Amino acid sequence: MITTKSREKGNSRRFKKIMIAAGIILLLVILFMLLINEYVKRFVKDRVISPEEASRLDPDCILILGAGVLDNSRPSDMLEDRLLQGISLYHEGASDRLLMSGDHGRKDYDEVNIMKKFAMERGVPSEHIFMDHAGFSTYESLYRARDIFLVKRAIIVTQKYHLSRALYVAERLGIEAYGVASDPRIYAGQNFRESREVLARVKDFFTVIFQPKPTYLGDTIPIGGNGDQTNDS
């Protein structure tokens, strides 16, 4: 006869086995994610260059990836630093085209017009600034740079923690890309961003395998033309 105590012992053993199996699976998942992260970073390590090296290249454009804006009127600290680095590269002759790619998915939130205005105030002609209004993610920004703006070779500007993923996506999409980091200061919440970036690298590692279409495509706007074609106001 199976007693209540025997059943309890059996259930306890099964529970322990399930917990051990779950723990092993979790450890394997974490290990797999860490391996992907290390692979992504190593794959593009040699593509991270200095501003001096960037000035000796001949890219189609300097691609500045969007970030948050404040009060829908001015760039956040992170975005301002990306812009200042990209504008500096422009004035140093790295490229005569800036591609501002960010989120302008609704009327009350507009990264790219703020980015363009910021660059114009610092001496960049309007016709040299292209806006990608549907750069809703790193992947979509690079996909649209390739298919809408016909970019084949680019210098990407963003913070260092984000740069390896952007370069990896670019390379897997067939863009010859180099990256210049923009990290002149410490940003609030950076530890959280670093942790989230681990997951983002894993996500985009698989995204570039399947290469889904971005939210929006459309007519081509060659980066060698006039940036005012992308004006919406």
Side-chain angles (χ1 to χ4, degrees), residues 162-176:
H162 180 213
L163 198 51
S164 59
R165 177 162 61 99
L167 288 169
Y168 184 81
V169 170
E171 291 291 322
R172 289 306 191 190
L173 291 178
I175 299 172
E176 183 184 350

Side-chain angles (χ1 to χ4, degrees), residues 206-221:
F206 289 104
T207 300
V208 295
I209 292 173
F210 299 102
Q211 297 193 18
K213 289 185 178 181
T215 306
Y216 299 109
L217 281 173
D219 297 333
T220 59
I221 307 171

Side-chain angles (χ1 to χ4, degrees), residues 108-128:
D108 61 347
Y109 187 80
D110 180 357
E111 293 177 1
V112 291
N113 275 290
I114 292 169
M115 293 166 75
K116 177 164 185 171
K117 181 175 181 287
F118 188 94
M120 289 176 62
E121 289 171 348
R122 286 154 182 80
V124 183
S126 175
E127 61 269 22
H128 288 180

Side-chain angles (χ1 to χ4, degrees), residues 71-86:
D71 302 321
N72 204 34
S73 61
R74 58 191 175 92
S76 61
D77 289 347
M78 293 187 73
L79 181 55
E80 180 179 288
D81 290 341
R82 295 180 191 185
L83 288 164
L84 289 172
Q85 182 63 77

Side-chain angles (χ1 to χ4, degrees), residues 13-26:
R13 284 195 294 269
R14 281 194 293 273
F15 179 74
K16 286 180 180 178
K17 288 180 180 179
I18 291 171
M19 291 304 294
I20 290 171
I24 292 172
I25 292 170
L26 179 61

